[in-house]
Amino acid sequence: MAKLLGYISLGCAKNLVDTEVMLGLLKDDGYTITDNLEEADLIIINTCTFIEKAKEESINTILEAAQYKELGRCKGLIVAGCLSQQYQDELFKEIPEIDALIGTGAWDQVMVAVDAIEHGNRSCIMENITNIYDERMPRIQTTPRYSAYVKIAEGCNNGCTFCIIPKVRGAFRSRSIESIKAEVERLAASGVKEIVLIAQDTTSYGIDLNDGKPLLTKLLKELTKVEGIEWIRMLYLYPTFFSDELLDIIVNEPKLCKYVDIPLQHVNNDILKQMNRRDSREDIERLLKKIRNAPTHVTLRTSIIVGFPGETDEQFQELCEFVKDIKFDNMGVFTYSQEDGTIAGAREDQVPEEVKEERYHTLMSIQAAISEENNRDLEGTIDYAMIEELEEGDNDTILAKGRLKSQAPDVDGNMYIEDCGDTVKPGDIVKVQVEQGFAYDVVATIVES
């Protein structure tokens, strides 16, 4: 009888890559993946601990999966990832249904955990946090066949006072250009057209390999040579190492999406200093001005934290005015989460939850209006789009759902084509004209190339 494996991957795309590697290792051991947890012999949950809501989601998911040890066929429940790394003792003690815990650097030891389960033992595998996968590791792609994430580095050296990631993911460490290119070539050969480069701090790529100097542009020049890859997108481009050279290659290289995801978190200088961010408001404004003044329009995305300890009404209003002025194309807003083991988490001047929530909704409302204005400005423009889903519409029409080249998977809005006929299929990249823009989505029509 086949051994069936069920999995749930929580949190960010960086975590998803770890999940895909564990799935690859288990497939090599004879496991077959199932979407039905009730029939799974083994269940893996890769957890997130970035903010309080992520912790709650992880705990609830573990408890729900644990029920399949009684209601289903599950003989082993493995919990991996950031929550395991941070709270290994508490998890083992409070949730006896967990058979194995795997830390963020021990995903390659998943078969050791399985072996322990088969022998009736619980295991807690927390290797030194120095591990990073390479192109030789088996990996089961869980994203659509035409788009894949590629993790180019692991860990973080930034030491932001609100963030636990360096403690659970370790110091910043980059993969070699050769390793990354080999993986991208393999993905291209399997039919992937879009790769999304990710790291905790993508612009810092290579600083540990090149005497403190980043190598991201050198990496990009190599990846653009890979045949079959049509779109290269980057997420988490922190401002400190965002160079003129990087902006130049984004603007001028056809394969690179004209898309910059630049997590700013705040703009008030006092808050930035308390967050231990390396850039001032003046630094940020100079960089954003360069991007906005580029000869080709570059889509700007950012992420913001509201309610950081001690944040005053005046500092929040400064942030709101800044967002109104810059008019980001896309923005994610998070309420500050008080995290164990962080400098900010130990402060006594925590902002009340109701104030954080109010600020969140205020800023999101501002951004929704900006996004709608930006998307309306797209009406009549020509772009390229990737088709992701097809479904039957009214009057025997076919509705296509996808993304413009300016929209990243999972975090941005969608593009819809109301009647695309039978000329496209998921994974196709087509030329479109935007007809209508809304707060987050756009409606387009296919035009002849």
Side-chain angles (χ1 to χ4, degrees):
M1 183 179 295
K3 298 184 292 184
L4 297 181
L5 165 67
Y7 75 93
I8 300 173
S9 190
L10 303 172
C12 65
K14 300 181 288 292
N15 216 34
L16 180 63
V17 172
D18 294 344
T19 299
E20 292 180 341
V21 173
M22 287 190 287
L23 296 181
L25 290 166
L26 288 162
K27 182 181 179 183
D28 283 356
D29 193 59
Y31 278 89
T32 300
I33 296 172
T34 177
D35 293 329
N36 184 356
L37 294 184
E38 190 173 0
E39 66 181 18
D41 300 290
L42 179 71
I43 298 176
I44 291 183
I45 301 171
N46 203 4
T47 59
C48 178
T49 189
F50 183 56
I51 58 177
E52 188 61 34
K53 289 180 181 178
K55 292 178 186 177
E56 292 174 1
E57 181 185 24
S58 293
I59 293 295
N60 290 335
T61 302
I62 293 168
L63 294 175
E64 289 172 6
Q67 298 180 40
Y68 291 107
K69 299 187 79 171
E70 293 185 4
L71 303 177
R73 292 173 45 184
C74 181
K75 302 296 190 296
L77 176 59
I78 297 177
V79 177
C82 294
L83 192 75
S84 296
Q85 189 73 43
Q86 188 178 8
Y87 295 109
Q88 51 195 269
D89 294 337
E90 293 91 333
L91 287 171
F92 246 176
K93 179 180 178 182
E94 299 295 332
I95 309 179
E97 293 89 349
I98 296 175
D99 296 293
L101 291 171
I102 296 178
T104 56
W107 38 261
D108 59 340
Q109 300 296 307
V110 64
M111 291 313 306
V112 175
V114 171
D115 184 68
I117 292 170
E118 290 176 348
H119 286 84
N121 299 318
R122 300 177 88 194
S123 61
C124 182
I125 307 173
M126 302 285 159
E127 304 296 325
N128 292 330
I129 316 176
T130 58
N131 210 359
I132 185 168
Y133 86 104
D134 60 34
E135 79 284 1
R136 297 168 296 179
M137 299 296 293
R139 180 180 168 189
I140 301 297
Q141 187 180 331
T142 60
T143 52
R145 57 176 177 77
Y146 45 80
S147 180
Y149 293 101
V150 176
K151 184 155 52 172
I152 64 175
E154 181 61 276
C156 187
N157 292 344
N158 290 338
C160 298
T161 60
F162 55 83
C163 184
I164 196 66
I165 295 301
K167 292 187 177 181
V168 298
R169 287 281 178 179
F172 188 82
R173 52 203 186 274
S174 305
R175 296 172 60 189
S176 70
I177 290 177
E178 294 75 19
S179 172
I180 297 167
K181 187 176 181 182
E183 181 180 18
V184 171
E185 288 173 337
R186 186 177 70 193
L187 289 168
S190 71
V192 170
K193 297 179 180 179
E194 175 190 39
I195 59 168
V196 184
L197 304 181
I198 53 174
Q200 195 65 36
D201 179 355
T202 302
T203 36
S204 289
Y205 170 75
I207 59 171
D208 53 323
L209 306 176
N210 192 39
D211 296 324
K213 299 176 183 178
L215 291 171
L216 184 57
T217 53
K218 185 176 181 180
L219 171 65
L220 293 173
K221 289 175 183 177
E222 288 300 313
L223 297 186
T224 57
K225 299 175 185 177
V226 178
E227 294 185 6
I229 297 299
E230 298 186 43
W231 290 2
I232 300 175
R233 191 185 306 278
M234 294 173 284
L235 299 181
Y236 317 118
L237 294 166
Y238 278 67
T240 303
F241 288 113
F242 200 113
S243 64
D244 292 348
E245 182 185 19
L246 177 59
L247 179 58
D248 183 69
I249 193 172
I250 290 172
V251 168
N252 292 301
E253 169 52 52
K255 286 189 176 183
L256 288 181
C257 297
K258 314 310 174 201
Y259 183 96
V260 169
D261 168 55
I262 185 165
L264 297 177
Q265 315 305 7
H266 215 281
V267 73
N268 174 268
N269 278 330
D270 287 339
I271 295 291
L272 289 170
K273 185 175 181 180
Q274 293 169 41
M275 286 180 166
N276 197 35
R277 304 288 286 186
R278 301 182 188 182
D279 305 282
S280 67
R281 172 171 180 155
E282 293 72 27
D283 296 329
I284 291 167
E285 287 179 326
R286 278 193 294 270
L287 175 57
L288 296 182
K289 184 177 180 180
K290 286 181 181 179
I291 296 172
R292 283 298 193 208
N293 289 338
T296 300
H297 175 74
V298 177
T299 297
L300 267 177
R301 176 182 176 82
T302 193
S303 58
I304 297 293
I305 295 174
V306 297
F308 185 81
E311 183 189 52
T312 64
D313 289 339
E314 292 75 18
Q315 290 167 334
F316 175 67
Q317 286 305 315
E318 179 184 350
L319 177 61
C320 290
E321 293 305 315
F322 175 79
V323 169
K324 291 177 184 177
D325 182 53
I326 298 299
K327 298 185 186 301
F328 293 99
D329 297 280
N330 299 291
M331 183 174 74
V333 180
F334 299 88
T335 56
Y336 166 77
S337 179
Q338 187 176 8
E339 296 303 308
D340 295 336
T342 63
I343 294 172
R347 288 175 54 167
E348 296 182 358
D349 55 346
Q350 301 292 322
V351 175
E353 289 298 322
E354 60 270 20
V355 175
K356 289 191 286 186
E357 286 296 323
E358 181 181 354
R359 291 176 181 175
Y360 167 83
H361 290 294
T362 297
L363 198 54
M364 285 298 293
S365 177
I366 290 171
Q367 181 57 35
I370 292 170
S371 295
E372 183 168 3
E373 179 184 345
N374 289 341
N375 283 342
R376 284 181 176 172
D377 288 343
L378 292 177
E379 292 176 359
T381 62
I382 303 296
D383 200 351
Y384 285 89
M386 181 172 285
I387 305 299
E388 296 192 298
E389 298 177 19
L390 298 175
E391 60 181 61
E392 290 187 9
D394 296 331
N395 301 319
D396 296 324
T397 60
I398 301 297
L399 174 69
K401 176 183 176 183
R403 292 181 285 114
L404 298 176
K405 198 172 184 180
S406 57
Q407 295 172 314
D410 300 323
V411 294
D412 293 333
N414 299 300
M415 176 229 53
Y416 295 91
I417 301 172
E418 293 180 334
D419 185 6
C420 64
D422 57 0
T423 60
V424 298
K425 61 183 183 301
D428 283 352
I429 294 176
V430 296
K431 193 174 184 180
V432 300
Q433 177 172 302
V434 177
E435 303 294 347
Q436 291 178 285
F438 301 96
Y440 300 109
D441 303 325
V442 298
V443 176
T445 56
I446 297 175
V447 298
E448 295 297 328
S449 300

